[in-house]
């Protein structure tokens, strides 16, 4: 009688708590002891169905390993796993599973445990985790980087694939006509392992009508596909082909809105039998992408500044003049960064039929202010060079420039090389006179000898805007037929965590290798550029070669 009373009390207690209590064989067959609750919706007790069949496909591998380890080691299990509700094909809940082994007198083991609905707890923790990850993201160097960061946050935890289509012009809410498709630029995507790669999209790619409506309405849309895959209507043909190949079960379309303007459309897909996103997933995804509005806004502002600085800088970087007997090549590569534009310049001024002034320089700073300062300094030096004429000393010209720039209280520091190149009528070739104000040394690549740097016996003169009273020096060299003189900015030879001396030596070695191939001078100059992934700063180069007929 006492045992029956204790059993009734135990059952009453189990019925009063929110957990379901169950017992499970090592093979995974569940018998419900008490409680009902979430467990009644997860498994049907008394059947031979293993609970692994109800576990979410994405969780099945790791959960099987955890359960196998618990049964082999006869240890406890405490975890949260997604499990399909009984009778619902694609409806899953996060459930907290706690299980402990019980060993009988014969040494046989079974597990007794609890199952508690943990959906709200999991979503709150996931939201905190993702939003914290996104809050730590600074303004990216470009929009592609910002979107990739977002894609990495949701793949594979919330989705199997993320593709982001950036709107080329943006869309003001309610402004674009319904029949005018938004121009898009596809970004790189985040893909879970095992999925097919996204097909390349040409410039004429247009999103399907469902995506266009999401962009225009600025409202998220959820598409759940039938078992045979996405239908042919509503989506672009390219998208449908890829979604079918990937075994997509659903897609969430989220417009990315910044300051009332749709700047992109994020498409988030679940694939390979994984259940499609539901309204709760859509809400969480919406929160994640909305969190990106701050970094995206800053990135777009930086891109706007960079565009203005680049346009201003390009307006000052005019094409070199034509001089008989000389081939002149100039190029400029901005840093691969949103704001790092503005400090470098080159210039060439024809002083007479037989004389050329050549300059290159770098303004401290990388922003719109640096671009504006570069324009002022470059214009002043150009005017001084033309006014001084072919007979002027480059050292004197730089000294005059230094005094003017300091008087104008413009940039904090300027490095520059200024050279005057004169034709030698009697002996042939050209004579070079140059002065270096704290700039990397010019490189001379002779046609019949190893390359060398043009520098004096001591260090170069200090940069401009450093000291008031300074006598600057002039260096001299000759340029024979086929020789190349290269003036460049420090982005060509300076990279973080490297030695400038080693980099200068590598530049000489590369120049010698290119010269031995008898390439045209423009090809030689392009060959001096480091690989794209090594470029951390602006690079400006202006070079000239004495032609054999000079």
């Amino acid at each position: 009688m006492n045992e029956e009373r204790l059993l009734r009390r135990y059952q009453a207690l189990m019925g009063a708590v929110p957990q379901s209590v169950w017992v499970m064989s090592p093979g995974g067959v569940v018998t419900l002891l008490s409680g009902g609750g979430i467990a009644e919706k997860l498994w049907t007790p008394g059947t031979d169905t293993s609970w692994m069949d109800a576990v979410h496909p994405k969780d099945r591998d790791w959960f099987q390993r955890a359960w196998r380890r618990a049964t082999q080691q006869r240890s406890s299990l405490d975890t949260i796993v997604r499990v399909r509700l009984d009778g619902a094909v694609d409806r899953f809940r996060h459930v907290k599973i706690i299980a402990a082994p019980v060993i009988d007198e014969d040494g046989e083991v079974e597990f007794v445990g609890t199952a508690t609905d943990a959906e709200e707890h999991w979503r709150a923790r996931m939201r905190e985790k993702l939003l914290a990850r996104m809050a730590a993201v600074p303004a990216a160097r470009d929009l592609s980087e910002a979107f990739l960061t977002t894609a990495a946050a949701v793949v594979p935890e919330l989705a199997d694939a993320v593709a982001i289509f950036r709107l080329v012009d943006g869309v003001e809410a309610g402004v674009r006509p319904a029949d005018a498709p938004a121009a898009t630029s596809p970004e790189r995507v985040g893909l879970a392992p095992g999925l097919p790669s996204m097909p390349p999209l040409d410039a004429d790619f247009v999103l399907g009508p469902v995506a266009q409506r999401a962009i225009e309405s600025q409202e998220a849309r959820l598409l759940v596909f039938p078992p045979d895959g996405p239908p042919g209507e509503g989506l672009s043909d390219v998208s449908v082909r890829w979604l079918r190949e990937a075994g997509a079960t659903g897609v969430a379309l989220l417009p990315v809105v910044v300051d009332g303007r749709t700047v992109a459309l994020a498409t988030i897909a679940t694939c390979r039998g994984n259940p499609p996103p539901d309204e709760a997933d859509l809400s969480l995804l919406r929160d994640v992408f909305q969190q990106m509005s701050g970094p995206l806004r800053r990135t777009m502002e930086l891109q706007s500044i960079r565009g203005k600085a680049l346009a201003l800088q390009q307006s000052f970087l005019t094409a070199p003049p034509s001089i008989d007997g000389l081939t002149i090549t100039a190029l400029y590569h901005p840093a691969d960064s949103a704001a790092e534009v503005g400090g470098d310049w080159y210039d060439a001024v024809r002083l007479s039929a037989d004389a050329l002034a050549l300059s290159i320089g770098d303004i401290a700073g990388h922003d719109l202010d640096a671009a504006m300062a570069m324009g002022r300094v470059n214009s002043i030096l150009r005017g001084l060079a033309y006014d001084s004429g072919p007979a002027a000393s480059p050292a004197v010209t730089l000294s005059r420039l230094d005094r003017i720039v300091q008087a104008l209280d413009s940039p904090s520091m300027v490095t520059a090389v200024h050279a005057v190149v004169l034709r030698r009528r009697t002996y042939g070739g050209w004579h070079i006179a140059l002065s270096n104000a704290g700039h990397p040394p010019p490189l001379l690549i002779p046609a019949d000898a190893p390359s060398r740097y043009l520098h004096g016996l001591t260090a170069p003169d200090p940069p401009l805007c450093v000291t008031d009273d300074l006598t600057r020096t002039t260096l001299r060299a000759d340029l024979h037929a086929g020789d190349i003189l290269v003036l460049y900015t420090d982005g060509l030879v300076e990279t973080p965590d490297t030695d400038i001396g080693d980099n200068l030596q590598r530049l000489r070695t590369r120049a010698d290798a290119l010269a031995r191939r008898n390439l045209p001078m423009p090809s030689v100059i392009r060959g001096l550029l480091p690989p794209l992934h090594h470029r951390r700063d602006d690079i400006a180069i202006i070079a000239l070669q004495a032609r054999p007929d000079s």
Side-chain angles (χ1 to χ4, degrees), residues 499-514:
D499 181 76
I500 182 63
D502 293 340
N503 294 342
L504 287 169
Q505 181 57 46
R506 279 192 287 269
L507 180 63
R508 282 186 56 191
T509 301
R510 192 157 65 243
D512 288 339
L514 291 167

Side-chain angles (χ1 to χ4, degrees), residues 378-425:
N378 181 26
S379 297
I380 295 170
L381 181 54
R382 168 180 275 258
L384 290 174
Y386 190 82
D387 180 67
S388 300
S393 162
V396 171
T397 302
L398 281 186
S399 295
R400 294 176 64 192
L401 174 67
D402 196 1
R403 289 194 297 272
I404 295 172
V405 172
Q406 290 193 55
L408 294 176
D409 192 25
S410 288
S412 58
M413 189 176 71
V414 182
T415 67
V417 171
H418 179 62
V420 175
V421 183
L422 295 171
R423 191 190 306 271
R424 297 173 53 180
R425 288 291 184 184

Side-chain angles (χ1 to χ4, degrees), residues 439-443 451 453 455 488-490 492-494 498-511:
H439 202 76
L443 178 64
S451 59
Y453 290 106
H455 50 66
Y488 55 92
T489 55
D490 56 7
L492 188 64
V493 292
E494 289 187 3
T498 61
D499 181 76
I500 182 63
D502 293 340
N503 294 342
L504 287 169
Q505 181 57 46
R506 279 192 287 269
L507 180 63
R508 282 186 56 191
T509 301
R510 192 157 65 243

Side-chain angles (χ1 to χ4, degrees), residues 183-523:
T184 58
S185 173
E187 299 292 338
R188 293 172 59 188
V189 295
L191 294 176
L195 290 180
S197 59
M198 289 286 288
L201 302 177
D202 55 35
D204 297 329
F205 173 77
V206 176
L207 292 168
V210 175
Q212 295 288 349
R213 287 195 292 271
I215 292 171
E216 293 159 10
S217 66
Q218 296 186 338
E219 294 180 356
R221 291 176 178 263
L222 189 61
L223 306 179
V224 177
F225 301 143
D228 57 349
E233 66 277 0
L235 301 172
S236 68
D237 293 341
V238 175
S239 299
V240 169
R241 285 195 296 270
W242 184 87
L243 290 169
R244 287 177 176 172
E245 183 181 0
T249 55
V251 165
L253 302 175
L254 280 93
V256 182
V257 181
V258 176
D259 295 335
R261 186 163 59 104
T262 306
V263 300
L265 179 73
T267 61
I268 300 98
T270 52
C271 307
R272 297 288 164 88
N274 291 317
D278 56 22
E279 290 296 336
D281 295 327
L282 190 62
S283 175
L284 182 52
L285 288 167
R286 189 186 293 111
D287 288 347
V288 171
F289 279 89
Q290 183 60 35
Q291 188 71 17
M292 278 303 295
S293 61
L296 283 177
R297 182 185 298 108
R298 295 192 294 272
T299 297
M300 293 165 67
E301 290 171 352
L302 289 174
Q303 282 199 325
S304 176
I305 293 172
R306 184 175 191 256
K308 293 175 182 176
L310 193 56
L312 179 62
Q313 190 168 38
Q314 294 289 356
S315 70
F316 289 110
L317 301 179
T318 57
S322 176
I323 298 286
D324 290 340
L326 290 176
T327 299
I328 307 174
T329 293
L331 58 84
Y332 171 76
H333 282 271
D336 184 21
S337 181
E340 293 185 355
V341 174
D344 295 16
W345 91 87
Y346 61 79
D347 197 16
V349 181
R350 179 187 173 114
L351 303 179
S352 70
D354 298 327
L356 177 74
L358 209 62
S359 305
I360 198 159
D362 189 2
I363 304 290
H366 294 86
D367 51 27
L368 187 57
D369 290 339
M372 296 174 65
M374 176 274 295
R376 289 194 298 268
V377 173
N378 181 26
S379 297
I380 295 170
L381 181 54
R382 168 180 275 258
L384 290 174
Y386 190 82
D387 180 67
S388 300
S393 162
V396 171
T397 302
L398 281 186
S399 295
R400 294 176 64 192
L401 174 67
D402 196 1
R403 289 194 297 272
I404 295 172
V405 172
Q406 290 193 55
L408 294 176
D409 192 25
S410 288
S412 58
M413 189 176 71
V414 182
T415 67
V417 171
H418 179 62
V420 175
V421 183
L422 295 171
R423 191 190 306 271
R424 297 173 53 180
R425 288 291 184 184
T426 303
Y427 302 102
W430 300 78
H431 177 73
I432 305 166
L434 64 88
S435 186
N436 188 340
H439 202 76
L443 178 64
L444 181 63
I445 310 174
D448 54 1
S451 59
R452 69 180 190 274
Y453 290 106
L454 300 182
H455 50 66
L457 299 177
T458 61
D461 296 336
L464 308 182
C465 306
V466 171
T467 182
D468 293 331
D469 190 12
L470 173 69
T471 301
R472 296 190 175 274
T473 57
T474 294
L475 305 176
R476 301 183 182 278
D478 291 324
L479 196 69
H480 303 288
D483 294 353
I484 300 174
L485 175 68
V486 184
L487 276 59
Y488 55 92
T489 55
D490 56 7
L492 188 64
V493 292
E494 289 187 3
T495 53
D497 302 322
T498 61
D499 181 76
I500 182 63
D502 293 340
N503 294 342
L504 287 169
Q505 181 57 46
R506 279 192 287 269
L507 180 63
R508 282 186 56 191
T509 301
R510 192 157 65 243
D512 288 339
L514 291 167
R516 285 193 296 270
R517 295 168 59 186
N518 295 319
L519 297 172
M521 197 261 287
S523 298

